[in-house]
Every structure is written in structure tokens, then in C-alpha cells.
Amino acid sequence: MLKVSDLECMRGERSLFKDINFSLEAGELMQVNGPNGSGKTSLLRMLCGLAIPVHGEIRWCGNAIRSLDEEYHNAITYLGHLNGTKDNLTAIENLRISSALAGNEIDESEGYMALRHMGLGGCEILPVKVLSQGQRRRVALARLLVCRTVLWILDEPLVALDSAAVKLVQSLLVQHLDQGGMVVMATHQDINVAAVITKRLQLA
Amino acid sequence: MLKVSDLECMRGERSLFKDINFSLEAGELMQVNGPNGSGKTSLLRMLCGLAIPVHGEIRWCGNAIRSLDEEYHNAITYLGHLNGTKDNLTAIENLRISSALAGNEIDESEGYMALRHMGLGGCEILPVKVLSQGQRRRVALARLLVCRTVLWILDEPLVALDSAAVKLVQSLLVQHLDQGGMVVMATHQDINVAAVITKRLQLA
Amino acid sequence: MAINWFKYSSPASFYSLAGKMTPLFSITAFALFVAGLYIGFFVAPTDFQQSEAYRIIFIHVPAAWMSMFLYLIMASWAAIGLAFNTRLSSMIATAIAPTGAMFTFLALWTGALWGKPMWGTWWVWDARLTSELILLFLYIGFMALQAAIDDPRRADKAGAVIALVGVVNIPIIYFSVKWWNTLHQGATVSLTQSPKMAATMLTSMLIMGLACWMYSIAVVLMRTRTIILERERHTMWVSELQGTA
Amino acid sequence: MSWASWSDFFAMGGYGFYVWGSYLVSFFCMAGEIALAFNRKRTLLRQLSLIHKPIQKEQNNETTP
Amino acid sequence: MFLWVIQRDLLLAMRQRADVLTTLFFFIIVVSLFPLGVGPEMNMLRIMAPGVVWVAALLSSMLSLERMFFSDYLDGTLEQMLLSPQPLSLLVLGKALAHWLVTGLPLVLIAPVLGIQFNLPMDSLLVLTASLLLGTPVLSLIGAIGAALTLGLRGGGVLVSLLVLPLYIPVLIFGTGAVEASSVGLGASTHLSLLGALLLASLVLTPWAAAAALRISME
Amino acid sequence: MFLWVIQRDLLLAMRQRADVLTTLFFFIIVVSLFPLGVGPEMNMLRIMAPGVVWVAALLSSMLSLERMFFSDYLDGTLEQMLLSPQPLSLLVLGKALAHWLVTGLPLVLIAPVLGIQFNLPMDSLLVLTASLLLGTPVLSLIGAIGAALTLGLRGGGVLVSLLVLPLYIPVLIFGTGAVEASSVGLGASTHLSLLGALLLASLVLTPWAAAAALRISME
Ligand code: HEM
Ligand SMILES: Nc1ncnc2c1ncn2[C@@H]1O[C@H](COP(=O)(O)OP(=O)(O)OP(=O)(O)O)[C@@H](O)[C@H]1O
Ligand SMILES: Nc1ncnc2c1ncn2[C@@H]1O[C@H](COP(=O)(O)OP(=O)(O)OP(=O)(O)O)[C@@H](O)[C@H]1O
Ligand SMILES: [Mg+2]
Ligand SMILES: [Mg+2]
């Protein structure tokens, strides 16, 4: 489904990586590894279409993602270093609005359920700015619970999470992969997603 | 040296923790544990004097830290969730300026050495905004290499770091503790600082 | 035409081409300046209304023309760069801006120095003057935006957007200002055109105009070359150039 | 030729300040622009020669036996 | 989707209730500074009034421009918006509209009161309000381009003013022109219809330009 | 330490070379907007000139206030400054001074040129410049308090204007008063010495107030 060929990334005057080739099928997890500054974030942003590669191509179901544009956006969910939550809105408002912007309107009860599932029971109507770092990350992750996209692109989803939340994310990933989803993930922490096909991409 | 008694923290209308008592002597590491939102960050900010407890006292060498003020600031280094680096300044400028503001002027060569030690060789004169998350964290951590303070208060220092950098931080901590320093640290990742006295504080 | 344009759209070959052409344009510009000034100051007769002050026209009018032409040209190159993603066109656009701003400033300055003896004031809020001032702001906005962006590719594209928006706006601005001014009556002094512009005056003005063109081309080529080097400093051909030079 | 003398020429019929003010400033603007352009290029070339020095040396070593 | 964007921005504005009010107060204060700076002669003030009100409107619209995308940029929401399956220009239109509702509309409503302070006659007040009603959305729309271009640049707040103020000038001229024309008995309809034309043109064109600018800034 | 703060802020300003220039051009553009809004009659413009120049100076000083602490706040530098062993008020003084050097001084230098556009006579130009020289540092100093108080509040940019503009009014009145007094032949020295007194007072008092405000905002 996702096919990357000959990808090259230039930042400033340095070539971060080149000749990246891989493909991802339904049910597969791709883990991007590499030391700090090796270009994981840059790669994931290219996969989303947020950055444009100097060379190489990214294809989704056979078409270049640049030509698909909005259609492709319907198929992916991206979670970056930044949470994409507004400090002054409450957790539930953040979740509902960000889902709606991603083309997936959810009603209140669904939102509450997702937040509760992420361990945010009791914090639903607090503005995000008073939440702790880990709780903010959980609000951002709650989007994964309600979205209906195929490809998840996750940039260090585990940052600031405690061990309970890490387990939660693991089970979330397993479930998504079982249902034929795909995941591309960059993380420094070891994550244990058993019994699924895991590919690894090592950046220098 | 550092003595905390009966500390209580209120956020909003909730009491996050109360009756926290501990003391820390030279060469001791205090690890603050607890799930997301349990109040680790709030505790550390109180220890720095950035937040004021509703109840209880924090004493440094016998004096309440509020009364010491600038004298106390000379003795601590705080590293929070935020890096405290300016996006538009280069790594070396950031390091030198933040050290100077902490009352510890360093010359260029010392700065370069610290950065190189943190694995930032080659990035010294890049503006911080083009660095990766992990590299930014390393710039912030480089302050620990050049500072001459006794008490380090670290809030999740390992976030976004790769395993090499985690080892680096570990050895840094060991060295600091060996020299009679003190560390208070909150982290979700397991860190392995062998052969020193480690105290643990578990927040609910 | 014998020149293979496609070939010269690569920065490397443009660099050498521009290197050959710069002296040519510089010399032409110099010669034309000398000729134009000679005719302007030694051949053209004294104007019976404005005495000698009118001789400012030989620099004022060409500067005013250039300020407008250069904006259009800059915007066109920027648009080409944005549409076809050709690096060279964007670099040329970036190189034109300072020259255009300089001519705009000159038009304002010489105009002001002309206005004082003729109108008794350095400045009036006349349509032409005002829109020239706004043009200066547009140039400066373009340059400030590009200067504020570190990444050259982003700077090129952002500059192109603002230049194009400016082009759409210039006619609107011009007509609005004109209208604004003519609806007010009062202290408006219109530019007094010398009744019958002597043929020598016209010649001199045209020659000076041509000289300004040549000058602009020369300076822009020079600046483009520098920009090319700055941006391509890590490529093979630049290091080869260094090796041989 | 309409000028009786050089001082006449410089006086410009009493408008010397304005006329020469225009032309001198124009001259200095253009000259300054050229100077800036040259200067920019010179500093750049100096930087470049620092960057590419190793390459240059290697080439020299190869070509001069 | 479009509605969600507007709703979200309005919600944010309401959450910080002071937000709407501050733009409004900025407007009021700037307008009131002039009598202090220029002196109290009423005739003088009456002539100045439309110009002062319009310049103040320009400034307060511009001042709040940075807010249009910047906080979304900082916290990553903008990234998410770029990845949303709806056309970006629609989204930008939504944000510009929300900006107008929060910062432009209140000015339109308060302007007559300020005009009275300057001793403007009734007709002029009406024309002033009408011109603001037509003109302020244009300011938000043009401003969106500037805000998108300067995203994340240092000194963006001031840079954006450098970029957009020159582009605001036609609006200023037609806006004040309308009031003056009506006060000398010429009728304001030409000016107002020109403002209307500007509004239509910018409704059609600016969302594209701003969307392109956003893409460039986020790359 | 004090010098480090100034040096750091100037370095930041220079890094983005355009920074200094943009405040300046903002000032120039705002001043030029007025004739466009009010009309081109020179007599009218001459009377308005000091008011317009001073209001524009107020606005451009104020617009750049947000920058004084906000970016330091966002990235955590300010936290570090509060933990620094030097007195906070000195630090604030340094930041206010850097702000003036970057945003105030250039205005003082360009003001005479703008005065010419408004047909001001020579004396008035001189007095205008002198009044700006004495007055603009006061703006930066008072502004520091406002900037510190509004730190991290949403819509801070507009809120700060609401807080500081009223405090700026004495400066505005003495500044324009000086020019008007000189133009009617009364001599500007009283006004100018009042401005000087304001400057001294704010040099002594505002750093403390701003430091206290910072502590409150960061708590
Ligand atoms: C700051 C003041 C001035 C500015 C900004 C200014 C600007 C301009 C501009 C933009 C043009 C070109 C217009 C076009 O080609 O359509 C122009 C042309 C001209 N200006 Fe000025 N001007 C100024 C002052 C003056 C003064 C004081 C005079 C003479 C008393 C003057 C005489 C002329 C003449 C004769 C032309 C050529 C006329 C033509 O080609 O239509 N200008 N000026
Ligand atoms: N303008 C530039 N000049 C030089 N290097 C640059 C420039 N812009 C970005 N870089 C480099 O590009 C890399 C970006 O890395 P990226 O953020 O993709 O890393 P990452 O693998 O996500 O790292 P981390 O694990 O720390 O998140 C960094 O090494 C950075 O130094
Ligand atoms: N105004 C408020 N009303 C209710 N609860 C609040 C309020 N302000 C803060 N809180 C709560 O206080 C806690 C702050 O936690 P803190 O940031 O100290 O957690 P932490 O232990 O550092 O967590 P993490 O591991 O996620 O960083 C959160 O649980 C938050 O919900
Ligand atoms: Mg990364
Ligand atoms: Mg925390």
C-alpha cells in the first residue's frame, strides 16, 4: 500500500539520508530507529506530505501522494512531537475538534469514552494547560482511538507517558494492526508489539 | 542539606499530594516516581522556588528557601520540561548565554567542549530551531556539564534522548554525585545510576 | 536565436555566462551615462520657466521608470520560479529587489530636491508621489520577508507570493491614490511639465534611461552570481571553480 | 554650450544645491550598491576558499609532481 | 469542517473572554489618543475623524493578525490542519472569517459611538459604519496572507505589518473617501461599491494565496 | 550580567537583521497612513504632525513590547532568569534598555525626515526629535511592566496595549506639548524638562515594578 523508493532528504546543506526504500502492507508495523538527529522526524514528515523530498517518491496504493493530496489525508493520522492541542480548550473539546478537522466528527459520549479509556477520567473538562505533560500526550493519543484511518504515523508517541500508558499504546497498536491497519513509528523507547510483522528501518 | 517537611500541593481544587517529608544529603540521588499527573513536576517546581506550597516547608542548609532567594539560586540548576533554549540562537550561543544568566560565565572553548561531549559536534553553530528534538534536549543538558551548582533538579531529563545520550546522562549523574552533588530527578524511564545512594519518592 | 536558453537556466552555466556579460553591460552603462550627462548638462538649453533646476529630470525620470519596471520584472521572475520551480529565476528576483528599491529611493529623493525649488516644499501628497512611496514599502517588505527567512527555498517561495500579491495590488493602489487625491481639492500642485520639451532634453533623458537599464542589468547579474555561489557552495562545480581559480 | 564659466556651471543658476544634491546622491547610491555587491562577493569567496581549501590542496598535490 | 474551524476559533476567543474586548479597547484607545495628541479643536477633529477611525481600525485588525495562525503553529494544530482532508483554502477562509467576527465586527459596532465623540453628523456616521462593515473583512482576508507568510519568523508581529499595511491602503482610501464624499454631499455610493468590489475580489483570491503561503511556511 | 542581557537581546535582534528595520518601517508606514486617511491639505497635516508622529511612536514601541519577555517565556529562558543569582530588576532594566536600543532609537533618528513630509518648520523638527529622545526610553520602561504582567496570557499582544497605552498618555501629552509650545513661540524647555523628570523617575521605579510583575506572572 505504502511504497517508498529512493527517498533522499536534505536539511540545510547536509544530506540526512538517501536511497531509502521500503514498502508497507496491511497489518505491518514499521519501526524507524536511529540516534538523535538522524532524520526520523524528517522522514515521517515526508511520509505525511508535510515536507517535500529532494529526490525519490512516496506512493500510496500506487499513486504519488502529492497527486492524491486530500484523498491521502483521509487515510492517515499523524502524531508529531507537538501534541496539536490548544492550551485553553478542555480535553474533550480538543479531542472533538481535532477529530472534526481530520474529517471525522464524533459525538460527546464517544469522546468521553475515548478519554476515559486513555486514563483521563476526571480531567475531561479541564483546560489542557493545567494538565501534566503525560496527560497532554494522552489527549493527543486519544485521537487514535476514535479515528478511522488506515495508516498511523507516530513520532515518539511514548514521550512523557508512564508505564501504564505505554502498555495502553501497545495494545492500541496491536489492535489496529490486527484490523489490517498500518503503523510507521519512530521511538527511542523499546516497545513491545508482539505477534505482528515488524519491519525496522535503521537510519545512520 | 535539602530538607522537605510536610509539603502539600494543591492544584485547582485537588490536593495532589500532602505530607511529603524527605531530606537529601551530599552524594544522594532522589528519584521521584509516579504516574502521569501525580504531581512530580509540581513538586520539582516547588523545590526550585518557582511554585509556592500551600503548606509545609523547604529548607536549604537549615534556612527556608524563600528567605535565601538569590543565594539558593546559586546552588541549584533546574531543567524543566521546556529546554530554555532560543530557537534563533545557535547551540553555542544558547549554552553560553544560559550559563551566564545562571551566574556562570564560560568562554567559547569551554562551551564547545561541553557541546562536543554531549554529542553535538558539528551542530554548534546551527540555530537551535533546525536541530532535532533530541539534539535540543542535549543542548539544554550541556548546561549541566559546565555548571558548578550542588543541587540539580531534573524533570524528565531523558525525554527524546537516544540510548547513547541516556548513558551519557547516567555517567554525568554518577560523576556529579561522586563529587558530593545532589540530584532530584523525575523520570518515567528507568535509569541506572549504580553505586550511589538512591532514594525513591513515590507519588500516588 | 543561437543561444540554448535551456542550457543557461542551470545556475552553473548561467554563472559563467553572466560573468562574461557583466563587463559588457557595465561598459555600455558607463558610456551611456557619460553621453547622457554630457548632452543633459552641456547641450540641452536652459529651461525658461525652471531655469537650471529642471536638469534634475535626467536622473529623476529614469529612476522613476526603473523603479516601476524593475518591480514588474522582479515579480515575473519570482512567478516563474514559483510556477516551474526553477531556482535561477527566484535568485534573479531576489537580486533585483535591492536595485529596484534603490531606484525608488532615488526617484523620491531627486523628486523631493526638485520639489523644493519648484513647489516650495519637499513633499506633497500627490498621487504619483504617494504611490511611489508605497512602492518603496512594497520593495522593502519583499526584502524584509526574504531576509527574515533562513531557508532559501522557503524564502524564494514566500517572496514570490508577496511579490505577486503586490503586483495585483499596484494598479489598485495607484488608481485609489489618484482618485483620493483628485477628489480633494486644495493645495494640490500638479507636476508642471515643461511646455515644449526640447529635443535635446528628450534625447538626454532617453539615453539616461537606457544607461539606467544597462546599469541595472549589470548590477543584477553581478548580484545573481554572488547569490548562485552562496547557494551552491557545496556543489561540485563551485569547488572545481575554486580549484581552478 | 550654455555655461560661461565653471563656477556658473556649479551654481546651476542658483539651484546648485538641488541639482548637485540629486546627482551626487544618485552617484553615491549607485557606487555604494556596486561596492556592496563587490564586498558581498569578496567575503563569500574568502569563505569559500576556506571551505574548499583541502580539495584545492589535493588537486595541487596531484598536478604538481 | 469550515464551520468547525470558525466554531473552534470563536470558542477559543470566548474562552479568553478578554480577547474580543481587548481588540475593541485598543481601537477605542487609539482613537481617543488623537484628541490628546492633536488638541481639542472640534472642527479640526471632525475633519480628521474618518481618517483616525479608519487608521485605528487598520491597526487593530493588523495587531491581532499574528494570532490567526501563530498559536496553532506553535502547538502543532496547524500541522494537523494541513493534513486534514478538506481543501486548505476553505480552512483559511474559515479562519479569516473567525478573525473578522472576533476583531472586525466589534469595531463596526462601536464606530458610531466614537464618531459621535468627534462630532460627526448622522449621515457621516452611517456611511462610516457601512464602510467599516464592507472594509474590515477585506483587512482580515488580506491579513491572512501576511500572517501565513510570516509564520514562525522572529519579529513576525512587526514584519507582518510591513507586509500588509501597504496592501491595506486602498481600503483606507475608499473607506475614508466614502465618509468625506458624503459629508460634502457627493454621495458615498461609488466608494462603497468599490469597497464591495474589493471585498468580493479578496473573498475569491486571498484564500488561495494564503493557503499557498501556509504550505510554503510549513514545509 | 546586565551587559550579558543587553548583549544577548541585541544579538537576537541582529541575528534577524530585519528586526530593527521592521519596527522603523512600521513607524514610517503608520505615519504615512495618516495623510492617506485625512487628506493631503498641508496646513491640516502640519498641525496634526506632532500628534501623529508621537502616536505612531507609542504604537510601534508598544507593538514590539510583547517580544521583550514572551519568547523567553515560551522557551523556558525566563524560568532560568528567575533562578539566576542576580537581582531580577537589573535584568529587567537590561531588557528594557535593549528594547529601546532596538525599537526606540531608530525612531528618534528617522523622525525629522517624517516631519519634513508634514512640512514642519526647522525648530519644530528639533524639538520633536528632542522630545522623542527623552520620551521613548520611558515608553520601553513602562512597557516592561505591561509586558511582564501579560506574559503568557492569551491575546497578550492586545491586552498589553490596553494596560500600557493609558500609562503612556503623560509622555504623549508632554511630547506633543513641547512641539506645539515651540511652534507658538513659548519655548519647549518646560515640557522637555518634565519629560526628563519622567525618564529619571521611570528609570528608578519601573524595574522594580516589572520584576515584581514578572515574579507574579511566572508563579
Ligand atoms: C518626491 C517627489 C517626487 C516623486 C516621488 C516623483 C515621482 C515620479 C514618478 C513615479 C514619475 C514617473 C511617472 C510616469 O512615468 O508616469 C515621475 C515623472 C516625472 N516627474 Fe516626478 N516625482 C517627484 C517630484 C517631481 C517634481 C518636483 C517635478 C518637477 C517639478 C517632477 C517632474 C516630473 C516629470 C517632468 C516627470 C516625467 C513626466 C512624465 O513622464 O509623465 N517630479 N515622477
Ligand atoms: N539548516 C540545517 N543545516 C544543517 N543541519 C540541519 C539543518 N536543518 C536540519 N538539520 C539537521 O537535520 C536533522 C533533523 O533531524 P530530525 O529532527 O529528523 O531527527 P530525528 O531523527 O527526529 O531526531 P530525534 O531523535 O532527536 O527526534 C538534525 O540532525 C539537524 O541538525
Ligand atoms: N486547576 C486545576 N484543576 C484541577 N487539576 C489541576 C489543576 N491544575 C493542575 N491540576 C492537576 O495537577 C496535576 C499536575 O501534575 P504535574 O504536572 O505535576 O504531573 P507530573 O507528575 O509531572 O506528570 P507527568 O508525568 O505527566 O509529567 C495534573 O494531574 C493536573 O490535572
Ligand atoms: Mg525527532
Ligand atoms: Mg511532569
Side-chain angles (χ1 to χ4, degrees):
Chain A
M1 296 278 269
L2 183 72
K3 190 158 168 42
V4 170
S5 46
D6 272 350
L7 210 62
E8 172 171 3
C9 171
M10 292 274 293
R11 296 300 299 273
E13 281 125 12
R14 288 167 44 196
S15 165
L16 277 183
F17 52 76
K18 59 204 249 181
D19 300 331
I20 298 279
N21 289 288
F22 66 87
S23 68
L24 207 64
E25 298 297 323
E28 289 183 346
L29 165 74
M30 165 73 122
Q31 198 165 334
V32 184
N33 290 111
N36 289 142
S38 56
K40 300 181 294 301
T41 300
S42 312
L43 174 65
L44 297 192
R45 284 175 61 88
M46 281 180 186
L47 292 183
C48 297
L50 284 173
I52 294 157
V54 283
H55 189 78
E57 241 184 347
I58 304 165
R59 293 176 167 275
W60 175 250
C61 304
N63 303 306
I65 59 166
R66 300 220 62 183
S67 68
L68 289 174
D69 213 30
E70 274 133 29
E71 201 178 319
Y72 181 55
H73 293 165
N74 258 325
I76 65 169
T77 296
Y78 172 65
L79 186 77
H81 275 297
L82 298 168
N83 289 326
T85 52
K86 308 280 337 161
D87 273 0
N88 282 297
L89 296 183
T90 64
I92 180 80
E93 284 165 350
N94 263 302
L95 177 60
R96 290 192 65 199
I97 287 173
S98 59
S99 295
L101 288 182
N104 171 31
E105 298 187 18
I106 59 173
D107 54 27
E108 204 144 65
S109 62
E110 202 178 344
Y112 273 104
M113 247 161 55
L115 289 179
R116 210 146 324 134
H117 189 87
M118 287 309 298
L120 289 169
C123 302
E124 296 100 336
I125 53 165
L126 288 180
V128 162
K129 72 172 161 209
V130 307
L131 296 186
S132 79
Q133 294 295 316
Q135 288 170 329
R136 289 182 209 187
R137 197 70 181 160
R138 288 173 187 226
V139 174
L141 284 165
R143 269 175 43 220
L144 295 179
L145 274 172
V146 294
C147 74
R148 300 196 198 84
T149 53
V150 187
L151 174 60
W152 293 356
I153 300 179
L154 311 178
D155 197 356
E156 313 225 13
L158 306 183
V159 154
L161 294 184
D162 59 15
S163 50
V166 170
K167 289 221 185 70
L168 215 65
V169 174
Q170 277 172 12
S171 67
L172 208 63
L173 291 183
V174 170
Q175 195 186 340
H176 179 62
L177 293 167
D178 277 351
Q179 291 168 357
M182 292 174 240
V183 178
V184 180
M185 179 172 64
T187 171
H188 293 297
Q189 274 164 275
D190 276 331
I191 190 168
N192 192 348
V193 186
V196 283
I197 307 155
T198 304
K199 295 185 171 179
R200 273 172 206 280
L201 181 70
Q202 183 72 32
L203 297 179
Chain B
M1 297 277 270
L2 183 73
K3 192 160 167 41
V4 170
S5 46
D6 271 350
L7 210 61
E8 173 170 2
C9 171
M10 291 275 293
R11 296 301 299 273
E13 281 122 17
R14 286 165 49 194
S15 164
L16 276 183
F17 52 75
K18 60 202 249 179
D19 300 332
I20 298 281
N21 290 287
F22 66 87
S23 68
L24 208 63
E25 298 297 323
E28 291 185 346
L29 165 74
M30 164 74 120
Q31 199 165 333
V32 184
N33 290 114
N36 290 142
S38 55
K40 299 182 295 299
T41 300
S42 312
L43 174 64
L44 298 191
R45 285 175 62 88
M46 282 179 187
L47 292 183
C48 299
L50 284 172
I52 293 154
V54 283
H55 188 78
E57 241 184 347
I58 304 166
R59 292 175 168 276
W60 175 249
C61 305
N63 304 306
I65 60 168
R66 299 221 63 184
S67 67
L68 290 173
D69 215 27
E70 274 136 28
E71 202 178 318
Y72 181 55
H73 293 165
N74 258 326
I76 65 170
T77 296
Y78 171 63
L79 185 79
H81 275 297
L82 299 169
N83 289 325
T85 52
K86 310 273 344 157
D87 273 1
N88 282 294
L89 294 183
T90 63
I92 179 79
E93 285 164 351
N94 263 302
L95 177 59
R96 290 191 64 197
I97 287 171
S98 59
S99 295
L101 288 181
N104 171 31
E105 297 187 18
I106 59 172
D107 55 25
E108 203 144 66
S109 61
E110 201 178 342
Y112 272 104
M113 248 162 54
L115 289 179
R116 210 147 323 134
H117 189 88
M118 287 307 301
L120 290 170
C123 302
E124 296 100 336
I125 54 165
L126 288 180
V128 163
K129 73 171 159 210
V130 307
L131 296 185
S132 78
Q133 294 294 318
Q135 288 171 329
R136 289 181 209 188
R137 196 69 181 160
R138 286 171 188 229
V139 174
L141 284 165
R143 269 175 43 220
L144 296 179
L145 274 173
V146 293
C147 73
R148 302 197 197 83
T149 52
V150 188
L151 173 60
W152 291 357
I153 300 179
L154 310 178
D155 198 356
E156 313 224 16
L158 306 183
V159 154
L161 295 184
D162 59 15
S163 50
V166 170
K167 288 219 188 69
L168 217 66
V169 173
Q170 276 173 13
S171 67
L172 208 65
L173 291 183
V174 170
Q175 197 186 339
H176 180 62
L177 293 167
D178 277 350
Q179 292 168 357
M182 291 174 242
V183 178
V184 180
M185 181 170 65
T187 170
H188 293 297
Q189 273 163 276
D190 277 330
I191 189 167
N192 192 348
V193 187
V196 283
I197 306 154
T198 304
K199 295 183 170 179
R200 272 172 207 282
L201 181 70
Q202 183 70 35
L203 297 180
Chain C
M1 230 180 250
I3 307 172
N4 179 357
W5 289 111
F6 193 71
K7 180 183 159 210
Y8 287 110
S9 68
S10 108
S13 32
F14 182 84
Y15 182 84
S16 57
L17 176 70
K20 282 176 219 133
M21 308 225 305
T22 312
L24 233 92
F25 283 107
S26 317
I27 293 168
T28 325
F30 184 75
L32 286 174
F33 271 128
V34 171
L37 288 175
Y38 178 79
I39 300 177
F41 277 97
F42 296 103
V43 179
T46 304
D47 186 88
F48 75 97
Q49 260 186 352
Q50 308 193 18
S51 151
E52 309 297 349
Y54 88 93
R55 289 184 202 273
I56 296 177
I57 203 174
F58 303 126
I59 186 68
H60 171 73
V61 174
W65 285 344
M66 289 314 295
S67 65
M68 293 180 278
F69 285 136
L70 285 177
Y71 193 90
L72 283 182
I73 295 168
M74 177 185 87
S76 325
W77 281 120
I80 293 172
L82 188 65
F84 303 109
N85 207 5
T86 43
R87 282 169 301 157
L88 184 60
S89 342
S90 306
M91 293 185 211
I92 296 177
T94 309
I96 290 175
T99 308
M102 190 224 31
F103 275 118
T104 316
F105 169 75
L106 279 185
L108 289 170
W109 177 266
T110 54
L113 279 176
W114 198 355
K116 187 66 182 171
M118 288 305 111
W119 307 333
T121 167
W122 301 99
W123 181 264
V124 292
W125 293 91
D126 163 84
R128 249 206 294 211
L129 276 55
T130 310
S131 42
E132 189 76 3
L133 184 66
I134 297 170
L135 185 64
L136 181 66
F137 295 153
L138 290 179
Y139 271 121
I140 288 169
F142 178 86
M143 291 194 292
L145 181 65
Q146 290 212 322
I149 303 176
D150 296 324
D151 176 19
R153 280 203 303 171
R154 180 181 161 191
D156 283 345
K157 291 180 184 170
V161 170
I162 200 67
L164 287 176
V165 173
V167 163
V168 174
N169 268 276
I170 281 179
I172 302 178
I173 290 173
Y174 182 74
F175 285 110
S176 67
V177 173
K178 197 175 170 92
W179 207 18
W180 158 73
N181 191 266
T182 44
L183 272 186
H184 292 282
Q185 50 287 78
T188 327
V189 191
S190 63
L191 295 178
T192 52
Q193 206 153 345
S194 7
K196 286 176 256 110
M197 204 185 264
T200 42
M201 288 186 205
L202 194 64
T203 326
S204 165
M205 213 168 78
L206 289 178
I207 293 178
M208 288 292 283
L210 212 57
C212 286
W213 267 110
M214 295 299 128
Y215 164 85
S216 311
I217 295 175
V219 177
V220 168
L221 284 181
M222 213 158 89
R223 205 178 283 119
T224 311
R225 265 164 64 93
T226 316
I227 293 173
I228 290 176
L229 275 192
E230 272 171 6
R231 299 219 185 151
E232 312 251 307
R233 60 170 77 185
H234 288 272
T235 55
M236 269 319 285
W237 71 269
V238 173
S239 51
E240 276 162 17
L241 199 79
Q242 283 290 301
T244 55
Chain D
M1 180 85 57
S2 51
W3 309 106
S5 69
W6 280 111
S7 61
D8 235 23
F9 178 66
F10 287 118
M12 275 288 151
Y15 294 112
F17 170 75
Y18 303 103
V19 175
W20 298 125
S22 302
Y23 280 94
L24 278 183
V25 168
S26 308
F27 174 76
F28 280 119
C29 278
M30 294 188 190
E33 200 192 3
I34 294 173
L36 279 179
F38 264 114
N39 192 36
R40 183 168 164 188
K41 181 154 183 191
R42 219 190 39 226
T43 43
L44 178 73
L45 284 181
R46 204 177 298 143
Q47 279 175 7
L48 283 187
S49 67
L50 285 180
I51 295 176
H52 294 299
K53 199 159 257 163
I55 301 172
Q56 210 173 330
K57 269 188 189 149
E58 280 164 25
Q59 284 174 345
N60 286 347
N61 290 345
E62 281 166 23
T63 47
T64 53
Chain E
M1 157 72 182
F2 180 64
L3 291 178
W4 269 101
V5 173
I6 298 184
Q7 186 189 332
R8 192 190 74 114
D9 280 23
L10 292 183
L11 187 66
L12 271 170
M14 288 306 138
R15 196 51 46 86
Q16 200 83 26
R17 258 170 252 127
D19 234 30
V20 188
L21 291 179
T22 39
T23 318
L24 193 58
F25 278 112
F26 174 79
F27 179 65
I28 297 175
I29 290 182
V30 171
V31 172
S32 325
L33 280 181
F34 273 92
L36 292 176
V38 173
E41 292 91 326
M42 264 306 169
N43 270 333
M44 178 92 188
L45 288 180
R46 181 165 340 103
I47 304 176
M48 284 173 55
V52 168
V53 170
W54 259 102
V55 170
L58 250 61
L59 291 176
S60 49
S61 164
M62 190 210 72
L63 247 177
S64 48
L65 272 185
E66 218 190 348
R67 174 165 56 188
M68 209 190 290
F69 301 114
F70 190 62
S71 69
D72 286 344
Y73 167 74
L74 274 190
D75 60 21
T77 317
L78 202 57
E79 254 174 11
Q80 299 293 345
M81 288 189 174
L82 285 183
L83 293 179
S84 127
Q86 275 82 6
L88 188 58
S89 52
L90 205 65
L91 217 145
V92 170
L93 187 62
K95 284 195 84 73
L97 224 71
H99 179 261
W100 179 72
L101 287 175
V102 174
T103 65
L105 193 58
L107 306 194
V108 178
L109 301 178
I110 201 80
V113 180
L114 294 177
I116 288 176
Q117 287 194 329
F118 282 78
N119 236 358
L120 278 186
M122 200 54 203
D123 311 354
S124 301
L125 282 182
L126 277 181
V127 175
L128 180 64
T129 316
S131 71
L132 282 169
L133 188 63
L134 287 170
T136 44
V138 183
L139 302 184
S140 296
L141 286 165
I142 296 181
I145 304 177
L149 281 175
T150 54
L151 249 194
L153 302 181
R154 235 190 88 75
V158 191
L159 188 59
V160 79
S161 65
L162 190 55
L163 294 179
V164 304
L165 280 183
L167 303 179
Y168 279 178
I169 286 174
V171 182
L172 170 68
I173 287 175
F174 293 137
T176 54
V179 185
E180 267 151 45
S182 93
S183 74
V184 298
L186 282 176
S189 59
T190 355
H191 283 99
L192 290 182
S193 49
L194 276 169
L195 271 181
L198 274 185
L199 176 56
L200 284 182
S202 48
L203 265 177
V204 176
L205 296 177
T206 54
W208 298 100
L214 263 189
R215 285 232 172 71
I216 292 165
S217 294
M218 291 295 293
E219 198 165 277
Chain F
M1 160 70 181
F2 180 64
L3 291 179
W4 267 100
V5 173
I6 298 187
Q7 188 187 330
R8 192 191 75 113
D9 280 24
L10 291 183
L11 185 68
L12 270 171
M14 288 305 140
R15 191 49 44 83
Q16 203 80 30
R17 258 170 254 131
D19 233 31
V20 187
L21 290 179
T22 39
T23 318
L24 189 59
F25 278 107
F26 173 79
F27 178 66
I28 298 176
I29 292 181
V30 171
V31 171
S32 321
L33 280 181
F34 277 94
L36 291 172
V38 173
E41 289 93 326
M42 270 303 174
N43 275 332
M44 177 92 189
L45 289 179
R46 182 167 335 104
I47 303 176
M48 285 174 57
V52 167
V53 170
W54 260 102
V55 170
L58 251 59
L59 291 177
S60 50
S61 163
M62 192 207 71
L63 245 179
S64 47
L65 273 185
E66 217 191 348
R67 173 166 55 189
M68 209 189 291
F69 302 113
F70 189 62
S71 69
D72 286 344
Y73 166 75
L74 271 191
D75 57 22
T77 317
L78 203 58
E79 255 175 11
Q80 300 294 343
M81 287 189 174
L82 285 182
L83 294 179
S84 127
Q86 275 82 6
L88 188 58
S89 54
L90 204 64
L91 215 145
V92 170
L93 186 62
K95 284 193 83 72
L97 223 70
H99 180 260
W100 180 71
L101 285 176
V102 174
T103 64
L105 193 57
L107 306 195
V108 179
L109 301 178
I110 201 78
V113 179
L114 295 178
I116 285 178
Q117 284 199 327
F118 283 79
N119 237 357
L120 279 186
M122 200 56 199
D123 313 353
S124 303
L125 283 182
L126 278 180
V127 175
L128 180 65
T129 315
S131 70
L132 282 170
L133 187 63
L134 288 170
T136 44
V138 183
L139 301 184
S140 295
L141 286 164
I142 296 181
I145 306 178
L149 279 175
T150 54
L151 250 194
L153 303 182
R154 235 188 88 76
V158 191
L159 189 58
V160 78
S161 64
L162 198 55
L163 288 178
V164 304
L165 279 183
L167 299 177
Y168 280 178
I169 285 176
V171 184
L172 171 69
I173 289 177
F174 293 138
T176 53
V179 185
E180 266 152 45
S182 92
S183 73
V184 299
L186 282 176
S189 58
T190 351
H191 283 99
L192 289 183
S193 48
L194 277 170
L195 271 182
L198 271 185
L199 176 56
L200 285 183
S202 49
L203 263 179
V204 177
L205 297 176
T206 54
W208 300 100
L214 262 190
R215 285 232 173 71
I216 294 168
S217 297
M218 290 298 292
E219 199 160 273

